[in-house]
Amino acid sequence: MTLLFKEKEEIRVKRPKWCSEDLWQTLTGLMVGGILTVNVAFSKAERKILRKRKQIKPSVWSEKHRVLVKSVLPGLWKNSVTPYLVGIVDAAALPYIREIIICKAPQTGVSEIAHNFVGSRIDLAPGDVLYTFPEENTARGNAKDRVTPMILNSVRLRSYLTGYEKDLASDRINLQHMTIYFAWAGSPSSMANKPIRYAISDEIDKPGFGNAKKEADPLDQIDKRLTTYRDISKHWKISTPTVATGNVWQELNHNTDVIFEFHVKCPFCEQLQLMKMTQIKWEGGSKADPREIKNKKLAWYECEACKEHWDDNIRNKAARHGDWIARGSSIAIETYLEKFRPANIGFHLPAWNSYFVSLSECAAAFLKGLENKKKLKDFRNGFEALPWEEYEVLAKQEDEEVLKCKTDLPPQVVPESAVALTAGFDLHKAGFPYVVRAWAKDFTSWLIDYGHLGNWQDLERLLFETVYPVYNSDRQMRIWRAGLDTGGSKYKKEISSTEEAYLWLQENTGHSRACRVWGCKGSSNPLPTKLKMGSILNKTPSGKPLRMGMRLVLLDTDKFKDMFYDRMFKALSGEQGGAWLHNETTLEYARQITAEEKQVNEKGVETWELIRADNHYLDCECIASALADWEWPGGGVNLFPDPNQAGNKAEKRGNQEHGIGPKNRPSWFNKR
Ligand SMILES: [Zn+2]
């Protein structure tokens, strides 16, 4: 169909999405000689935008219209520098592609190619854009130093400017026909509240974007903004990986239809191959000096097929003749996309593919990784573009270290000096991992029981019916307090179990039973204290009313993890207040305790991060410790009378068996 404007300008148009089939029939019926005269005056700018641009590939567009200014290679964009980016950006423009997930090493140019994509959309397929970065500074910096210069330095893009300076702000750029928003993940209010067509989420593994453990999920929020444009939207999710549970590794492995890997072509034998660290070689092996290797550029790449040596230049040449291949096949990207038309595609890009990283830098980073764990992690994340996972050997040593806290106490038996038992439960799709810990008045504690319960009945039996014998006596003890993690982490999508937990807690938190049960939740932010009462909840996650209202206890789990580890060290060094284990504690328990590791983030703040799946027992231990803590509503185990003091021992113990009375609880707590 051809539209004829007043100024006799013809524009060929296809039926736009907003135009119904009926209306389109009517319009085409009004045509005379195949031309419809529309009696509307368009401004010059509108005409330019309405004119259908020839849809060229974004990579081709970039070489015509993208000018780099602040760059080691200023001038017009050249695809030959970073040839691996061509396949990514061109795939992203295909109509059936919805999500582009890129797990990459730093200095690979991926963020720039996302800008190129946005630039080409401004010109070829306009729609509002939302950039999201982990922090405000990065967001504003990208607006100011990357995207604005991209527009100002391109004659084509410059023609879309409104001419008003205020339209070039650091949180939004208004063009004549679309808006580019800049947001930061930490603050949901900064995320544009309007429907958007294109989302670029960069460095999604950094704090701010949250992780599998936290509930607020900026990536989900961004996806919601895209729903209006569901069938034509695009979401780029980009990051250097951190740990296996981090966003980018999870997205790459669980949210893609295919993962592409870049294969390079040996200039000597023409063999297409996936570059590997093991083929980067240098003299001196593990004894070589990383600084010398890097400075003197002593490393080379050895072709897997013909064994020829490549220097950096040959490596770059090999990359220029390379291609993305679907993992687990030998199908090149273009063929694959055409044949299978996947919606979500993933790319894995290690540093040795990059023009900006020398082979010797890779070798040096590998050698430094042999020096300590922190540097090994840097190599894994920053060069291999792989998540950090504890090496088996190291992990095993740590696990055996944990098991040194074993005593000769048999399982399910309470030591004589214990004054109370607390139980921590995690919520899991397949049931409830739990620990039961016995506490002495001075916070010395013993793991007396742990395991996995299958259903709510098992849980009730343990909490309300089970009695544990006290060692060397005919006394028995019940669980005094219990806490259930109602959480439900992002990637497990356990909303239904959280729902059940709320309803169960509503029925079972009453005062009538011997054991008092609380719902707990890890706080998504650090707290000034170790724990605090959450606000009153009147509804379950799905909106079912909670008649009596319910309050969860929010735990600063990082603090409790510190404390638990500290107590294990106390046990190992024979200090008072140690955390001990019963004599049949297994390696499986220890594995879960060491499944998290304290790491220093970009801001220099130490946080506990998951390094392996399954940390249930560690979570349970944190809850069990919180319940005994003096900060807990009603006070901690230190308030119990000393069981070893002379006098009416038996009577006091009798009291414990039925739980402590309400007299120690502050009055505000009884009113909740
Ligand atoms: Zn070769």
Side-chain angles (χ1 to χ4, degrees):
M1 169 179 192
T2 305
L3 289 175
L4 183 65
F5 292 89
K6 259 175 135 185
E7 292 93 339
K8 304 268 181 212
E9 189 161 353
E10 282 182 22
I11 297 180
R12 296 192 167 272
V13 285
K14 280 191 200 152
R15 181 173 71 89
K17 280 208 176 288
W18 50 262
C19 180
S20 70
E21 200 66 58
D22 284 356
L23 178 60
W24 191 245
Q25 293 280 323
T26 317
L27 284 171
T28 46
L30 291 171
M31 293 194 300
V32 180
I35 290 176
L36 175 72
T37 306
V38 183
N39 199 17
V40 189
F42 287 95
S43 72
K44 196 176 163 212
E46 282 167 327
R47 277 206 313 278
K48 183 172 74 206
I49 291 147
L50 282 169
R51 188 184 300 127
K52 198 166 159 61
R53 289 260 184 235
K54 194 178 162 220
Q55 289 294 327
I56 54 173
K57 288 180 174 177
S59 62
V60 177
W61 182 94
S62 305
E63 291 201 316
K64 291 184 172 177
H65 303 294
R66 176 80 204 273
V67 182
L68 293 169
V69 188
K70 286 184 185 172
S71 163
V72 281
L73 296 165
L76 260 183
W77 178 273
K78 286 192 198 72
N79 287 326
S80 58
V81 177
T82 45
Y84 45 85
L85 297 179
V86 173
I88 300 177
V89 75
D90 288 347
L94 293 169
Y96 46 83
I97 301 288
R98 296 279 75 83
E99 297 195 16
I100 304 96
I101 292 139
I102 308 167
C103 176
K104 49 102 189 177
Q107 296 191 67
T108 38
V110 171
S111 300
E112 285 304 322
I113 203 71
H115 296 323
N116 287 7
F117 180 76
V118 169
S120 71
R121 295 310 87 185
I122 295 173
D123 195 30
L124 302 173
D128 287 354
V129 177
L130 172 65
Y131 272 101
T132 311
F133 295 93
E135 286 169 21
E136 180 173 355
N137 286 344
T138 338
R140 292 191 189 276
N142 266 277
K144 228 171 102 251
D145 303 332
R146 296 280 154 196
V147 181
T148 302
M150 169 173 82
I151 298 170
L152 292 175
N153 289 300
S154 158
V155 177
R156 177 62 69 82
L157 294 181
R158 206 157 57 211
S159 72
Y160 295 101
L161 290 170
T162 63
Y164 298 108
E165 205 172 317
K166 67 168 171 51
D167 283 338
L168 283 175
S170 65
D171 60 349
R172 76 169 57 184
I173 295 173
N174 289 320
L175 299 172
Q176 292 168 17
H177 60 321
M178 58 181 271
T179 302
I180 305 170
Y181 299 94
F182 295 86
W184 43 100
S187 158
S189 61
S190 79
M191 313 241 266
N193 206 8
K194 289 183 174 174
I196 46 158
R197 179 168 174 188
Y198 302 113
I200 314 284
S201 304
D202 205 348
E203 288 303 344
I204 60 171
D205 262 36
K206 286 204 175 155
F209 275 102
N211 62 37
K213 297 273 292 169
K214 313 258 160 87
E215 283 178 35
D217 186 352
L219 288 175
D220 279 352
Q221 289 177 24
I222 296 164
D223 278 331
K224 282 196 188 108
R225 305 259 177 274
L226 295 166
T227 46
T228 310
Y229 294 101
R230 196 177 289 118
D231 303 328
I232 52 167
S233 69
K234 311 275 183 192
H235 193 168
W236 289 60
K237 297 172 178 173
I238 307 167
S239 198
T240 299
T242 52
V243 287
T245 52
N247 285 321
V248 80
W249 196 249
Q250 290 291 322
E251 291 280 346
L252 185 75
N253 289 288
H254 303 300
N255 189 28
T256 52
D257 301 311
V258 56
I259 298 171
F260 293 105
E261 293 167 319
F262 197 71
H263 292 236
V264 300
K265 191 181 254 181
C266 174
F268 301 102
C269 71
E270 305 219 310
Q271 175 70 43
L272 211 54
Q273 55 200 289
L274 184 67
M275 286 180 77
K276 294 186 192 83
M277 183 61 213
T278 46
Q279 295 303 109
I280 300 179
K281 317 250 172 177
W282 58 90
E283 299 289 347
S286 63
K287 298 273 186 299
D289 175 11
R291 288 138 206 98
E292 197 186 352
I293 299 266
K294 185 178 164 183
N295 296 338
K296 297 188 181 166
K297 294 210 168 193
L298 299 177
W300 67 88
Y301 195 87
E302 186 180 289
C303 170
E304 241 174 83
C306 71
K307 312 289 175 203
E308 274 293 343
H309 290 191
W310 308 351
D311 61 14
D312 290 335
N313 283 326
I314 300 170
R315 184 267 319 258
N316 296 342
K317 197 173 168 196
R320 282 199 283 279
H321 295 96
D323 204 354
W324 291 98
I325 307 288
R327 185 182 282 175
S329 82
S330 54
I331 311 175
I333 186 164
E334 224 169 320
T335 316
Y336 187 97
L337 296 177
E338 222 165 87
K339 191 169 172 198
F340 299 104
R341 299 171 73 86
N344 295 2
I345 52 177
F347 295 90
H348 184 249
L349 187 57
W352 35 84
N353 286 119
S354 175
Y355 177 92
F356 304 105
V357 183
S358 71
L359 294 165
S360 298
E361 276 175 82
C362 300
F366 174 84
L367 286 168
K368 281 185 196 162
L370 301 177
E371 291 170 8
N372 65 46
K373 234 158 71 164
K374 164 92 176 59
K375 287 176 179 165
L376 185 56
K377 180 177 184 297
D378 290 345
F379 174 75
R380 295 277 279 170
N381 293 163
F383 286 81
E384 290 184 290
L386 291 176
W388 168 250
E389 285 170 289
E390 202 67 35
Y391 274 60
E392 283 305 308
V393 182
L394 281 175
K396 200 153 181 292
Q397 281 172 0
E398 281 180 5
D399 295 347
E400 276 160 10
E401 212 50 34
V402 167
L403 293 182
K404 285 185 186 159
C405 298
K406 281 204 244 182
T407 57
D408 54 6
L409 194 73
Q412 297 172 341
V413 173
V414 181
E416 290 160 285
S417 54
V419 293
L421 308 182
T422 64
F425 294 84
D426 200 0
L427 188 60
H428 187 255
K429 202 167 252 146
F432 310 92
Y434 73 96
V435 305
V436 180
R437 203 160 259 281
W439 296 88
K441 189 178 158 66
D442 66 354
F443 291 102
T444 300
S445 67
W446 299 264
L447 175 73
I448 63 158
D449 197 3
Y450 71 89
H452 195 107
L453 300 173
N455 55 43
W456 292 105
Q457 287 72 40
D458 293 344
L459 184 97
E460 286 172 22
R461 209 167 298 129
L462 182 75
L463 291 182
F464 306 126
E465 290 165 29
T466 302
V467 285
Y468 291 99
V470 176
Y471 191 69
N472 227 351
S473 96
D474 53 4
R475 290 184 294 121
Q476 293 178 324
M477 275 174 100
R478 288 172 181 272
I479 294 167
W480 170 51
R481 284 173 178 168
L484 173 65
D485 185 351
T486 62
S489 66
K490 191 168 84 182
Y491 288 103
K492 292 193 219 144
K493 309 269 187 230
E494 286 163 358
I495 300 297
S496 62
S497 349
T498 303
E499 184 89 9
E500 274 179 34
Y502 279 28
L503 297 170
W504 184 86
L505 282 165
Q506 164 126 320
E507 292 303 311
N508 291 282
T509 43
H511 295 257
S512 57
R513 307 233 203 179
C515 168
R516 182 74 197 271
V517 192
W518 276 266
C520 327
K521 195 169 106 165
S523 165
S524 43
N525 297 307
L527 302 174
T529 51
K530 292 197 282 287
L531 56 91
K532 74 168 191 187
M533 291 302 290
S535 48
I536 295 175
L537 299 167
N538 294 313
K539 277 187 273 195
T540 67
S542 78
K544 287 199 192 95
L546 291 167
R547 280 169 291 108
M548 296 178 279
M550 190 174 74
R551 295 178 80 174
L552 300 178
V553 183
L554 302 181
L555 306 181
D556 188 333
T557 48
D558 276 12
K559 290 199 179 81
F560 283 108
K561 283 167 195 165
D562 284 345
M563 204 166 81
F564 183 65
Y565 262 76
D566 188 49
R567 286 175 175 167
M568 281 196 298
F569 290 129
K570 277 184 176 161
L572 289 175
S573 58
E575 284 175 61
Q576 200 182 19
W580 299 95
L581 306 172
H582 70 59
N583 69 5
E584 288 178 22
T585 310
T586 62
L587 206 57
E588 171 54 20
Y589 168 89
R591 287 288 286 165
Q592 296 202 16
I593 294 298
T594 59
E596 291 194 31
E597 183 185 71
K598 210 162 183 188
Q599 295 176 359
V600 180
N601 69 20
E602 292 70 19
K603 289 178 178 166
V605 180
E606 286 189 319
T607 58
W608 285 87
E609 299 293 342
L610 203 60
I611 52 172
R612 269 200 306 276
D614 290 349
N615 58 340
H616 303 303
Y617 293 142
L618 181 59
D619 282 347
C620 294
E621 287 286 12
C622 286
I623 295 170
S625 302
L627 292 159
D629 198 83
W630 56 269
E631 278 187 27
W632 194 266
V637 292
N638 52 319
L639 298 180
F640 277 85
D642 192 335
N644 297 322
Q645 258 170 18
N648 51 5
K649 261 181 172 177
E651 194 190 326
K652 275 172 188 161
R653 278 172 187 144
N655 213 6
Q656 291 149 25
E657 281 160 33
H658 300 96
I660 191 79
K663 64 173 184 279
N664 286 331
R665 294 193 186 98
S667 54
W668 60 265
F669 186 72
N670 289 330
K671 284 192 198 128
R672 54 163 216 126

